[in-house]
């Protein structure tokens, strides 16, 4: 009966389906972008020496602004706030596609990493809060407590989608001819890199945004 109750609460919970589907697309996009980020910065932009510093700055900024996301969630609602975070990541993907070798310095690297990590910080802060409301809905609708199961699914699909996105990004870039060991990339290799760093993550995050809003 316990297993049947859990299965019913999962299969019949539409808000959970919407949340997890959106999060899977988010994971595909972010996994693809993060999986190729260092190669993009080092092999394409030639700014590998600035990667650690600028990414660390973005992470610190993301941590510092977390209380702001929480206040925005109270003022605007969790869905709207999560949409803002996803909007920042979408902006970072667009910016990724606009950067060109020889035209990038410290300022551009700070913007790239900070905008993206601020968006990820929003997701890290607000997504569990949204899932908690879904757990409350489940307890009301199905008269059973499934919080642990729901959060286990959330963590599983987060890790799954990030891993698949990262692997898919490497495969697509390699299929186009991108080679991280060479100093000059072919036009096809650059195209493949930009597809997995800008185009596909943008599409995935737009889909995730549609499920969020």
């Amino acid at each position: 009966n316990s297993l049947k109750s859990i299965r019913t609460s999962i299969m019949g919970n539409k808000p959970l389906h919407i949340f997890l589907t959106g999060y899977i697309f988010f994971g595909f996009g972010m996994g693809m972008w993060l999986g190729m980020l260092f190669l993009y910065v080092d092999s394409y932009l030639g700014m590998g020496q600035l990667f650690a510093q600028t990414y660390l700055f973005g992470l610190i900024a993301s941590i510092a602004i977390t209380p702001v996301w929480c206040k925005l969630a109270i003022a605007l609602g969790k869905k709207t706030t999560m949409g803002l975070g996803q909007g920042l990541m979408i902006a970072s993907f667009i910016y990724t596609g606009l950067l060109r070798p020889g035209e990038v310095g410290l300022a551009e690297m700070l913007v790239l990493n900070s905008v993206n990590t601020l968006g990820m910080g929003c997701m890290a802060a607000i997504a569990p809060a949204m899932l908690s409301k879904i757990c409350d809905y489940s307890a009301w609708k199905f008269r059973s407590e499934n919080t642990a199961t729901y959060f286990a699914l959330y963590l599983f699909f987060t890790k799954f989608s990030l891993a698949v996105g990262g692997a898919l990004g490497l495969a697509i870039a390699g299929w186009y001819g991108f080679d991280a060991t060479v100093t000059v990339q072919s036009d096809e290799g650059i195209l493949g890199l930009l597809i997995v760093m800008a185009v596909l993550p943008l599409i995935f995050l737009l889909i995730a945004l549609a499920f969020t809003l």
Side-chain angles (χ1 to χ4, degrees):
N1 289 335
S2 178
L3 289 176
K4 182 179 179 181
S5 174
I6 292 173
R7 184 169 62 250
T8 300
S9 72
I10 293 173
M11 300 302 294
N13 195 328
K14 185 176 179 180
L16 178 66
H17 301 164
I18 294 172
F19 174 84
L20 290 178
T21 302
Y23 217 86
I24 288 171
F25 280 106
F26 157 77
F28 286 159
M30 278 310 307
M32 195 170 287
W33 192 84
L34 289 173
M36 295 296 295
L37 179 58
F38 180 74
L39 296 178
Y40 165 82
V41 171
D42 188 49
S43 298
Y44 176 60
L45 295 180
M47 290 286 113
Q49 72 277 11
L50 295 177
F51 179 82
Q53 304 95 306
T54 54
Y55 198 79
L56 178 61
F57 177 86
L59 289 175
I60 293 173
S62 176
I63 294 171
I65 205 173
T66 297
V68 176
W69 290 123
C70 295
K71 291 182 178 179
L72 283 175
I74 295 172
L76 303 177
K78 297 180 183 66
K79 288 203 304 181
T80 301
T81 303
M82 183 179 282
L84 291 174
Q86 291 174 340
L88 285 176
M89 286 181 280
I90 288 170
S92 73
F93 299 151
I94 295 172
Y95 191 60
T96 298
L98 296 176
L99 295 179
R100 293 292 180 269
E103 302 175 2
V104 178
L106 178 61
E108 289 79 10
M109 288 294 298
L110 285 172
V111 170
L112 176 67
N113 284 309
S114 297
V115 171
N116 186 270
T117 51
L118 287 175
M120 286 197 296
C122 174
M123 294 292 290
I126 305 304
M130 288 187 66
L131 184 56
S132 294
K133 297 297 290 184
I134 294 173
C135 293
D136 292 340
Y137 168 79
S138 173
W140 168 79
K141 182 177 177 65
F142 301 104
R143 298 295 188 268
S144 62
E145 178 57 59
N146 299 297
T147 300
T149 301
Y150 284 10
F151 272 87
L153 287 171
Y154 161 66
L155 292 174
F156 170 78
F157 282 114
T158 297
K159 295 178 183 295
F160 168 79
S161 58
L162 286 171
V164 171
L168 188 60
L170 287 168
I172 293 173
W175 185 75
Y176 271 90
F178 177 79
D179 185 352
T181 65
V182 302
T183 55
V184 179
Q185 300 292 334
S186 66
D187 291 341
E188 292 80 7
I190 292 173
L191 175 62
L193 178 65
L194 293 179
I195 286 174
V196 300
M197 284 297 294
V199 178
L200 291 179
L202 175 62
I203 292 172
F204 285 134
L205 261 292
L206 286 173
I207 295 173
L209 182 62
F211 277 98
T212 297
L213 301 178

